[in-house]
Structures are given as C-alpha cells and as structure tokens.
Amino acid sequence: MNQQGKNLGGSNFSKTDPQHKDLWATPQEIVDGFFSYVENKGLVPRGLSKLDVCANKHNKKCEHFITEQQDTLVTPWGENNLCWLNLPYSNVQPFLNKAVAEAANGNYTVALLKNDCSTKWFHYAAKNAIAVVYIMMGRISFISAMTGETIKGNNFSSVAFIFGPERKGLRSLYVTKQKLGELANGKIS
C-alpha cells in the first residue's frame, strides 16, 4: 500500500515517498552553525576533529564520515571527535543509545531531531544529554534526497541534543535559525 501523503497520525504527516523519508539532508550552513555554536557556548572543546556519523558520499557534512554500509550503530566513532548526527527519524532510539555510548570515548555529538517532547526517545535524550538547543524563529528547510533541492515547508520544529562525556545535568539553550546561519558564515562569533 502506498503511504505517500497519508496522515499516519500525530506529527508524522509527510508527503515524502516512504523509501526516501529518512534520507533528508541538513543544509551545510546549519551544521557549521551548530558546530560554532556549541564551541562558542563551551559545550565542547575547540579543535575537535569533525565526523558525520550518518552519511553517504552525496550528503556528508564533514570530511570524515560513516556511511550506511559501514553501519554507524556498530562502527566505532573513534575518540575525541565532534560528531554530527542527522539520524533517521523513523528509528531514533538506537542512534541515541550509540551517541550516549560514544561519549565514553570522549566523543561529543550534536544530534538534530524533531522537537517532540511527547516521545520516549525525547525523554531519554533529555536524561542523557549535556545540553538541548531549541531552534527558534524558523524551521530548517531540509534537502530532498530525491531532487537535491532545498524544500521549504518543514512541518515540525527542530531541536539538537548535545551528548558528551562527564554529564553534570542538562543545559537548555535557545538559538535562532538566523544566528546559526550567521555563525556558519562568520558574520558573528
């Protein structure tokens, strides 16, 4: 049965073909903005190697990346990296478990998720992250895996959970989408 465009309940309404639903890419400007933001806020040390842990050669956001074929859930992420995690929204929990486990290796992870505090995975992330960053005043326009084009009209707001070693509680932070862009483009520091 074709599920395209069918309202599956809650905030899961999507017009995306199910086979492409988990393949949306984050604009590079958002990734770079988040990396600058977490460094500037002192959430992560400066100068860490960057690693995209959920990528392919067409949508990678860092020079170093782990592909779907390598399977990020079983591949070690190394040590002392700043990791980008735009995970499949249809199966969030295993990727959050991996991010928490990788913190023991000194890895910091910026995990971009839809802002849905009604889920079990959101609660788990809040209990295990060092910070949560709410994106205010704008929704991310993701890049379609089918066309390679940036698509406006995202039907949910986004949040980033930051995982890392030595958790001492959860910091709640807020950033505008515009500020992430300015950070990425070096307009502000």
Side-chain angles (χ1 to χ4, degrees), residues 55-146:
N56 63 47
K57 65 182 180 180
H58 303 294
N59 71 5
K60 65 183 176 75
K61 300 301 166 190
C62 304
E63 182 180 343
H64 303 287
F65 60 98
I66 298 173
T67 66
E68 185 177 7
Q69 292 75 25
Q70 292 170 308
D71 191 352
T72 198
L73 297 176
V74 296
T75 298
W77 295 359
E79 296 179 0
N80 303 313
N81 290 303
L82 177 53
C83 303
W84 177 256
L85 177 58
N86 180 8
L87 52 101
Y89 288 1
S90 67
N91 190 22
V92 172
Q93 192 62 55
F95 294 88
L96 296 181
N97 294 345
K98 178 69 169 179
V100 170
E102 286 293 335
N105 296 324
N107 290 313
Y108 291 85
T109 302
V110 178
L112 184 66
L113 296 156
K114 63 180 169 179
N115 187 5
D116 188 354
C117 63
S118 67
T119 63
K120 289 180 183 177
W121 59 257
F122 193 102
H123 182 252
Y124 174 85
K127 285 178 34 179
N128 289 282
I130 59 175
V132 58
V133 182
Y134 296 92
I135 302 172
M136 310 292 285
M137 298 180 64
R139 294 181 176 178
I140 296 173
S141 297
F142 289 94
I143 302 166
S144 169
M146 296 183 290

